[in-house]
Amino acid sequence: MKEAVTDILKHSQLSITESRLKILELFTKHNKALSHADIEKISSKNFDRVTVYRTLQTFVDKGIIHSIPTADNSVMYALCKETCTEGHHHDDHVHFICDECGNTYCLDNIDIPKVTIPKGFSTHQVNVLVNGVCKSCK
Amino acid sequence: MKEAVTDILKHSQLSITESRLKILELFTKHNKALSHADIEKISSKNFDRVTVYRTLQTFVDKGIIHSIPTADNSVMYALCKETCTEGHHHDDHVHFICDECGNTYCLDNIDIPKVTIPKGFSTHQVNVLVNGVCKSCK
DNA sequence: TAACATTTTGCAACATTGTTGCAATTGTAT
DNA sequence: ATACAATTGCAACAATGTTGCAAAATGTTA
Ligand SMILES: [Mn+2]
Ligand SMILES: [Mn+2]
Ligand SMILES: [Zn+2]
Ligand SMILES: [Zn+2]
C-alpha cells in the first residue's frame, strides 16, 4: 500500500515527505472524497493546517487529486485516475453525494451525459453532481 | 419594475423593507447569478454584511432565489422561476459559467440530461454545471 | 394618525476558513 | 557527510460567515 503511494509521488516528481505520504494514503484508503476538515480529523499525525492546504493544492496541481463542486459549497477532493497529469485534468465523471451518510463518490463507470448548449456558447467542461441515497444507506 | 419586486415580497409574505427591495431588484435587473460580494459591490446603499447574508438566506428559504454550486466553490445566487415555493425548490436547469467574463447564467430552456446511476443508488437532485465561453464573449 | 406588537436591521464580538512571509527543519543529490 | 533546495510550522493576517442584542423600521389595530 505504502509502495503505491510513494510511487505516485515519485511519478509526479514530488519529494517524499511524511505529510504527503500520510495525506495521500488517506485518499487511497478511503474510497470517497475528503474535505480539508476530514483530513485534519482522521489523520493520525496532526499536521499544521497550512501544510494540509498546501499539500492538497500541490496534489491538485500535479493531477493527483481533483476538487469537487458540491451543492453546499464545501470543498471536497478525490483521487484522479491515471489519465490526469500536471495542468491537465480529465475528471469527466459524475459525482454522487449521499444525503444520508454525506459521503461523496466519483462514479467513473457512468457516462457523462451530453448537454446541449444554446447557439453561440461553447463548452470547456461539464460537471454533473447527483444528490441521492447511496447503496449502503438504502 | 419596482412593482414586480414588491409583489414578489408580498407573495412570499415578507415585509417590504429597503434591503429586500434593493437586493431583489439587483437580481431582476442583472440577468445573471450574483455572489454576496457582488451585491455589496454593486448596491447603491451599503447594507451591513449581516443584513445581506440574512436577506439572501430568507430569499432562499422562501423560494425566491437558489444557490448555485460552482467549480471554484464560491457561492452564487440566482432568481428562481415561479414554480419554486417555500421549502420546495425546482431549479432543475443547467448552470453555465463563462470562463471569460466570469458570469454565471441559468439556462432554463435546455433540458437537464438523463443521468444513469448504478444499481442500488437513488437520485434526489441533479446539478449540471457547464464551464465555457458565453455568447457575448465569443 | 397614533399606539402597539412584531420583525428587521446594524453593530459588536466571535468562529471558521483560507493565505502569506519567514525561519527552522527535512529531503535529495553529490 | 555536506551542500543545496524544498517543505514545514509558526505567526500574523485576510476573507467569509455566524450569533446575541439593542435600536430602528414595519405592519396592525384602534
Ligand atoms: Mn471525481
Ligand atoms: Mn439557476
Ligand atoms: Zn450513503
Ligand atoms: Zn462571457
Side-chain angles (χ1 to χ4, degrees):
Chain A
M1 181 67 98
K2 183 163 267 175
E3 285 305 306
V5 170
T6 317
D7 286 348
I8 295 174
L9 294 179
K10 279 182 182 162
H11 186 262
S12 296
Q13 293 169 295
L14 289 173
S15 47
I16 319 293
T17 69
E18 196 188 353
S19 350
R20 287 174 181 165
L21 282 173
K22 284 272 172 62
I23 293 174
L24 188 47
E25 220 174 337
L26 293 180
F27 280 104
T28 57
K29 275 184 181 154
H30 299 75
N31 189 29
K32 56 168 190 174
L34 299 174
S35 68
H36 178 274
D38 290 334
I39 290 166
E40 293 216 304
K41 205 177 299 166
I42 65 182
S43 174
S44 47
K45 186 166 183 286
N46 282 36
F47 302 108
D48 192 84
R49 275 165 9 87
V50 181
T51 302
V52 177
Y53 280 119
R54 290 198 271 225
T55 302
L56 289 171
Q57 189 53 56
T58 302
F59 287 174
V60 170
D61 291 344
K62 290 290 186 175
I64 299 174
I65 62 174
H66 58 277
S67 73
I68 303 172
T70 61
D72 68 340
N73 289 97
S74 63
V75 187
M76 305 288 293
Y77 300 91
L79 273 184
C80 293
K81 302 303 145 188
E82 297 75 29
T83 49
C84 292
T85 57
E86 179 157 6
H88 291 280
H89 279 271
H90 304 280
D91 304 289
D92 307 313
H93 51 254
V94 174
H95 288 119
F96 184 91
I97 299 104
C98 177
D99 294 328
E100 288 292 326
C101 61
N103 288 344
T104 302
Y105 304 100
C106 299
L107 302 184
D108 302 296
N109 310 330
I110 308 288
D111 284 330
I112 268 274
K114 196 95 192 132
V115 183
T116 328
I117 292 295
K119 244 188 152 62
F121 288 63
S122 65
T123 300
H124 288 162
Q125 209 205 337
V126 179
N127 276 288
V128 178
L129 199 63
V130 179
N131 282 75
V133 180
C134 80
K135 210 167 184 172
S136 335
C137 291
K138 206 202 149 199
Chain B
M1 181 68 95
K2 183 163 268 176
E3 287 304 307
V5 170
T6 317
D7 286 347
I8 294 173
L9 293 180
K10 279 183 183 164
H11 185 262
S12 296
Q13 294 170 293
L14 289 173
S15 46
I16 318 293
T17 70
E18 196 188 355
S19 349
R20 287 174 181 166
L21 283 172
K22 286 270 171 65
I23 292 174
L24 188 47
E25 221 173 337
L26 292 180
F27 280 103
T28 58
K29 275 182 180 155
H30 300 75
N31 191 29
K32 57 169 188 172
L34 300 173
S35 68
H36 179 274
D38 290 334
I39 291 167
E40 292 215 305
K41 206 176 298 164
I42 66 183
S43 173
S44 48
K45 188 165 180 289
N46 282 35
F47 301 108
D48 192 85
R49 277 167 4 91
V50 181
T51 302
V52 177
Y53 280 119
R54 288 197 272 225
T55 302
L56 290 171
Q57 188 53 55
T58 302
F59 287 175
V60 171
D61 291 343
K62 290 289 186 175
I64 299 173
I65 62 176
H66 58 277
S67 72
I68 304 172
T70 61
D72 67 339
N73 290 96
S74 64
V75 187
M76 305 287 294
Y77 299 91
L79 273 184
C80 292
K81 303 304 148 189
E82 297 76 26
T83 48
C84 293
T85 57
E86 179 157 7
H88 291 279
H89 280 270
H90 304 280
D91 305 290
D92 306 314
H93 51 254
V94 174
H95 289 119
F96 184 92
I97 299 103
C98 177
D99 295 328
E100 288 292 326
C101 60
N103 288 343
T104 301
Y105 304 101
C106 300
L107 302 183
D108 302 296
N109 310 329
I110 308 288
D111 284 328
I112 266 276
K114 196 93 193 136
V115 183
T116 329
I117 291 295
K119 244 188 151 64
F121 289 62
S122 65
T123 300
H124 289 162
Q125 210 203 337
V126 179
N127 276 288
V128 179
L129 200 62
V130 179
N131 281 75
V133 181
C134 79
K135 210 166 183 171
S136 335
C137 291
K138 209 203 147 193

